[in-house]
Amino acid sequence: MTTPASTDPWLIVGLGNPGPEYEMNRHNIGFMVADLLAQRMGGRFKRAGKAQAQVLEGRLGAPGPASRRVILVKPMSFMNLSGGPVNALRDFYKVPLANIVAVHDELDIDYGTLRLKIGGGDNGHNGLKSMTKSMGADYHRVRCGIGRPPGRMQVADFVLKDFSSTERKELDWFVDRAADAVEALVAEGLERAQQSYNS
């Protein structure tokens, strides 16, 4: 895998489903993180031409040499078709695969826990599965733990339910920390971001 140049842009993809009925679902934490990053960048999402996505172009990080050019993306194609819009934007903005970050919910990590990595499997996550099918697996992931479903609840039912009232007490803190992790990854690289945020 070629090492990206420091001038290459980053494509940060918050994974989720469009529409108000999905807004507070566990599956939509990627959208929540993307919305917070958009606030930090001081911009608003807009429809991206022919790509089924909302996009915000700007810079992340402290002003000066440390700031990075970023294209923030929320695919509007529904989770299991996320790869098409992301790959189209990757081609349009000429982003190296190693400069793509998927922010997503992760069942196998406890709620409130973050793990950052590059590459690997999709662990049954349809958004990652679609992205990997479209462009390969060697992109970064910011994995936001949501825990396993209780009892015999089906995974699909669990991820498409809203965060519980107990979880919502910590949700703002969790989303804020995940956004910090994305910024650290872009500014400092994977290893340093892992040291700070992998728990």
Side-chain angles (χ1 to χ4, degrees):
M1 185 169 58
T2 54
T3 305
S6 61
T7 51
D8 285 333
W10 284 77
L11 196 68
I12 298 170
V13 182
L15 289 174
N17 286 309
E21 67 271 36
Y22 300 105
E23 201 171 327
M24 291 304 294
N25 285 183
R26 294 182 176 93
H27 222 18
N28 268 41
I29 195 163
F31 272 17
M32 296 173 198
V33 175
D35 285 337
L36 179 56
L37 288 168
Q39 280 180 35
R40 292 182 181 185
M41 289 165 66
R44 284 188 166 177
F45 284 101
K46 60 176 192 278
R47 292 297 287 205
K50 293 178 182 174
Q52 271 189 293
Q54 290 187 352
V55 171
L56 170 62
E57 293 179 61
R59 300 191 80 82
L60 262 183
S67 83
R68 296 282 181 267
R69 183 175 166 229
V70 160
I71 299 100
L72 198 54
V73 180
K74 292 198 299 185
M76 293 286 120
S77 54
F78 287 94
M79 186 69 85
N80 59 353
L81 299 172
S82 300
V86 174
N87 202 33
L89 291 165
R90 173 201 172 201
D91 287 345
F92 180 78
Y93 289 104
K94 299 178 172 51
V95 180
L97 189 55
N99 273 20
I100 295 175
V101 182
V103 186
H104 64 93
D105 57 302
E106 179 63 61
L107 287 159
D108 284 341
I109 302 174
D110 290 341
Y111 176 71
T113 301
L114 291 172
R115 297 270 165 78
L116 284 69
K117 71 172 189 173
I118 189 166
D122 55 58
N123 200 21
H125 192 289
N126 287 330
L128 297 180
K129 195 176 293 182
S130 179
M131 283 180 62
T132 297
K133 187 178 175 186
S134 292
M135 56 193 189
D138 291 331
Y139 52 89
H140 288 89
R141 296 102 190 273
V142 174
R143 304 156 76 207
C144 304
I146 60 168
R148 301 292 307 183
R152 295 186 178 183
M153 185 187 285
Q154 293 295 309
V155 164
D157 294 334
F158 179 69
V159 299
L160 293 174
K161 275 201 173 3
D162 288 357
F163 284 102
S164 70
S165 55
T166 305
E167 288 168 336
R168 279 202 294 272
K169 289 175 185 169
E170 290 188 359
L171 186 58
D172 286 349
W173 169 85
F174 189 23
V175 169
D176 193 64
R177 186 169 164 76
D180 288 347
V182 172
E183 289 205 47
L185 172 59
V186 169
E188 301 167 15
L190 178 62
E191 203 171 310
R192 287 190 65 179
Q194 284 175 325
Q195 288 168 3
S196 300
Y197 292 96
N198 276 19
S199 42

